[in-house]
Amino acid sequence: MKPLSSRLPDLTLLFVGLVTVAYFFLTHEGLYDLDDYFYARYAHQLASGTFRVVPDPQGLLHDPLKERWLIFGPVAALYRAFGINIITTTVWPLLCTLGCSVIIWSAYRRREPVVAAAAMLLLGLHYFTLNLTNYLYPDNILMFWCLCCGFTLLLGRRSTSWQLLWGAGFAALNFAALLSKETIVYYLPFYVGVLALDSFRRRNLRFWVAAGAVGAGLLVLYLAFYQVYTHDALYRIHLIEHTNEFLKEGNFLVGNRAALLARVTYQPLLFLVGTGLGVALVLAVAAALGRRQNRDSDASFWLALAFSTLAFYWLGSTSLSQYNPITLLPRMSTPLLPPLCLAAGFGVRNFGRNGRGGYWLALVLLACAAWLHNSLAVLYALPALYFVGVTWLGASPAGTRWQPGTVRLAASALLVLAAALSIRPIYFMLKPGVSSHFEQQQVIRQQLQAPARGVVFVDDFLIGNYDFYYGFRVPPGLRFRRYSAADSVRLGPGEQGWLLLNGSTLTNPELTRKLIRYSEAEVLARFPQRQLLQRAGKVQLYRVP
């Protein structure tokens, strides 16, 4: 039987995988916003052969989503194989999320078992990592490519016989990341720094020559592709710049200049703490301070990548023509997560080896908990209490089992991290849903299908994506209208009217703040002569005259 120390990565991978899959199915809410709907529509067009690579005919150029081929391309293949539904739409982000844990496990399970286990926990159980598995958004997909790029750069430069192949793979993976989301550029400063260092030392030249040659070749083909189809080789860059121009009233230099100083000073730190990444950041800083423990390890590589990426996120701009710092949203930070969590893993390993700094770690984590003073504070309080407890036990005569270097100390640290990080995901797994997507899908499939003809009155959220429920092929006899259009719609001969009411949508706080301005009672009052046809949970379908 394997010793516990060597089984820690295996057990962690199993646990993280089970939690991720359980979260995916138990918290799925269907389509979230316009972005995932657009990606799904592009995937359908690609799968059905109706996708067209053409510029915006109106010249507005404010939809960069269509250029992210590796977001909707794999989904198109899934549509062809398994049909269109919300699971086939979002399983690609789920696979990429699970893939991150598998890569960390395969790379470090033998050489650095504690690092592997800690990094998988910090990355895989981070709430927003799990949250983004449910939606067809590019962020977890990009995170997967970023992790692959990081490991390829690390291992390729270390290889002695396959550097040309590693270099070519490094360029191809970065190109794949570019086809997913432009924010792979977060890693560019680090790449330039490593290239400069290797050039100065005259090392790994074959790796960089191969990477440069393959990368240049791919880039030339990419620019030529746009030149042929859009008559603009730099179409994608112009698309991003026009998007920034379109949204300039909300940026820091035009509409929000007063907030710029806060954005580039303390706000990113508050953001990291407020999203739960403060634990990983504190442990990464601890790893950076443990220079002696980092010798003959990969800690310096991941620390440099983590903090250079953090600096780009802190101070970088989304535009080349104007300074507009990156929005502080959790999904914008996914390129930072792999190197930060791996660096933090070395912080956990160092503490398990020498037991030093426990009181300082506890003090900083408790400060984070005190600043938050909300339910998220437990994420910081539990590890803080652990560091205090084991440090005190290790210094006491009765604490021989908790001495530095023992498997018990490392395993207990991982157990506490797993417990603290699991609380929020489990809470949302047990919480009732807010969309009733599957109930609404059931009603539509059973009642609103061909040969039915008429008008279906729906809410202001469903009016924008109802065709998704039909695999983007709505029966020709059905028309969908907003509730507010009831007085102006006239039924033709042989047509029927229906009222589809989703109580979850009408009470969803994400929607009622801006989009939904009416209650269920107000909707029903608009249709006094109604007959209930079917009820599924909070979803009701009525026949109306």
Side-chain angles (χ1 to χ4, degrees):
M1 190 180 206
K2 291 182 180 180
L4 178 61
S5 59
S6 62
R7 285 188 290 129
L8 286 175
D10 301 340
L11 295 173
T12 303
L13 178 66
L14 177 63
F15 177 69
V16 170
L18 290 174
V19 172
T20 303
V21 173
Y23 185 93
F24 176 80
F25 285 104
L26 294 177
T27 66
H28 215 304
E29 299 284 3
L31 293 175
Y32 177 70
D33 206 349
L34 288 176
D35 285 16
D36 50 356
Y37 170 74
F38 284 153
Y39 286 127
R41 190 174 65 182
Y42 293 142
H44 161 68
Q45 292 173 359
L46 198 60
S48 60
T50 59
F51 186 85
R52 296 292 178 267
V53 185
V54 292
D56 186 338
Q58 297 181 346
L60 297 178
L61 301 177
H62 60 268
D63 181 15
L65 308 184
K66 194 175 183 180
E67 314 311 317
R68 297 171 178 175
W69 288 71
L70 282 185
I71 303 302
F72 56 84
V75 178
L78 291 168
Y79 282 174
R80 291 292 297 270
F82 304 107
I84 299 174
N85 57 64
I86 197 60
I87 301 302
T88 55
T89 299
T90 52
V91 74
W92 173 227
L94 171 66
L95 292 175
C96 288
T97 306
L98 293 170
C100 290
S101 293
V102 172
I103 290 172
I104 295 171
W105 171 82
S106 62
Y108 283 135
R109 71 182 189 275
R110 291 191 178 92
R111 290 194 297 121
E112 296 281 5
V114 175
V115 173
M120 283 189 285
L121 290 172
L122 290 165
L123 179 64
L125 298 185
H126 176 52
Y127 169 72
F128 290 103
T129 297
L130 293 170
N131 179 255
L132 287 167
T133 61
N134 283 342
Y135 308 114
L136 185 54
Y137 273 51
D139 307 286
N140 281 19
I141 300 169
L142 175 67
M143 181 173 70
F144 173 76
W145 297 123
C146 285
L147 183 60
C148 291
C149 291
F151 268 115
T152 303
L153 180 60
L154 174 67
L155 300 177
R157 293 169 60 249
R158 183 182 296 160
S159 173
T160 57
S161 56
W162 298 95
Q163 282 207 335
L164 291 176
L165 187 60
W166 280 105
F170 176 68
L173 288 169
N174 277 280
F175 186 67
L178 179 64
L179 294 181
S180 299
K181 195 176 181 182
E182 303 81 3
T183 42
I184 183 59
V185 74
Y186 286 18
Y187 282 16
L188 184 58
F190 180 74
Y191 293 164
V192 172
V194 175
L195 173 59
L197 183 64
D198 281 352
S199 300
F200 178 77
R201 295 177 175 176
R202 297 185 179 277
R203 295 178 180 175
N204 307 308
L205 296 182
R206 289 183 299 167
F207 174 90
W208 289 110
V209 167
V214 173
L218 290 172
L219 188 59
V220 167
L221 291 174
Y222 191 55
L223 297 179
F225 170 83
Y226 278 115
Q227 181 64 39
V228 170
Y229 282 97
T230 70
H231 307 293
D232 179 8
L234 300 179
Y235 174 73
R236 193 170 179 187
I237 294 177
H238 294 154
L239 179 64
I240 297 170
E241 290 303 316
H242 278 261
T243 302
N244 279 286
E245 181 68 19
F246 183 76
L247 301 173
K248 68 180 180 180
E249 291 187 2
N251 74 26
F252 286 93
L253 296 188
V254 177
N256 200 18
R257 184 175 298 183
L260 179 61
L261 180 61
R263 168 60 186 84
V264 298
T265 52
Y266 65 88
Q267 280 186 353
L269 180 61
L270 301 184
F271 162 79
L272 292 171
V273 174
T275 55
L277 287 174
V279 174
L281 182 61
V282 169
L283 290 170
V285 171
L289 297 175
R291 295 180 180 178
R292 294 181 180 178
Q293 295 291 321
N294 295 337
R295 292 175 181 173
D296 301 322
S297 76
D298 299 334
S300 297
F301 177 90
W302 295 114
L303 282 165
L305 179 55
F307 287 110
S308 65
T309 306
L310 179 59
F312 196 105
Y313 186 72
W314 205 300
L315 302 171
S317 172
T318 61
S319 171
L320 296 173
S321 60
Q322 54 184 304
Y323 182 60
N324 189 30
I326 299 157
T327 307
L328 291 177
L329 290 175
R331 66 187 184 89
M332 299 295 184
S333 65
T334 46
L336 171 65
L337 297 184
L340 180 65
C341 293
L342 280 161
F346 283 96
V348 175
R349 183 206 67 171
N350 293 352
F351 179 79
R353 286 183 176 181
N354 58 36
R356 297 174 185 170
Y359 290 133
W360 285 109
L361 288 170
L363 181 63
V364 176
L365 291 172
L366 284 175
C368 294
W371 178 79
L372 288 172
H373 60 272
N374 57 23
S375 58
L376 186 60
V378 70
L379 173 61
Y380 297 92
L382 279 180
L385 293 176
Y386 165 79
F387 285 121
V388 169
V390 298
T391 302
W392 178 80
L393 280 174
S396 66
T400 55
R401 294 185 177 182
W402 300 95
Q403 293 297 316
T406 60
V407 176
R408 181 186 294 268
L409 187 62
S412 62
L414 296 172
L415 186 63
V416 170
L417 278 178
L421 291 163
S422 298
I423 292 174
R424 194 176 185 188
I426 290 174
Y427 167 77
F428 280 96
M429 281 191 265
L430 300 176
K431 186 179 178 181
V434 297
S435 73
S436 296
H437 167 84
F438 296 101
E439 292 85 350
Q440 186 164 264
Q441 178 178 271
Q442 174 188 340
V443 170
I444 290 175
R445 285 184 175 177
Q446 293 178 356
Q447 299 289 343
L448 300 174
Q449 298 292 332
R453 297 178 61 248
V455 179
V456 186
F457 296 102
V458 298
D459 57 71
D460 288 84
F461 178 70
L462 185 57
I463 195 66
N465 57 46
Y466 63 86
D467 55 345
F468 176 80
Y469 290 84
Y470 294 95
F472 299 98
R473 295 176 179 175
V474 181
L478 290 178
R479 294 175 288 149
F480 284 74
R481 297 291 184 269
R482 290 180 171 87
Y483 299 143
S484 58
D487 295 336
S488 60
V489 172
R490 296 293 179 264
L491 298 178
E495 289 189 334
Q496 176 63 57
W498 293 273
L499 166 64
L500 181 59
L501 192 150
N502 187 331
S504 295
T505 297
L506 301 187
T507 55
N508 184 345
E510 292 283 336
L511 300 175
T512 54
R513 284 196 291 265
K514 293 183 179 180
L515 186 63
I516 304 297
R517 299 291 188 178
Y518 38 80
S519 66
E520 181 175 333
E522 290 172 330
V523 174
L524 293 176
R526 187 182 289 271
F527 301 89
Q529 298 179 339
R530 61 185 184 273
Q531 179 184 357
L532 181 65
L533 290 180
Q534 185 174 347
R535 184 192 301 272
K538 293 184 178 182
V539 179
Q540 305 158 50
L541 180 67
Y542 296 90
R543 181 182 288 117
V544 295

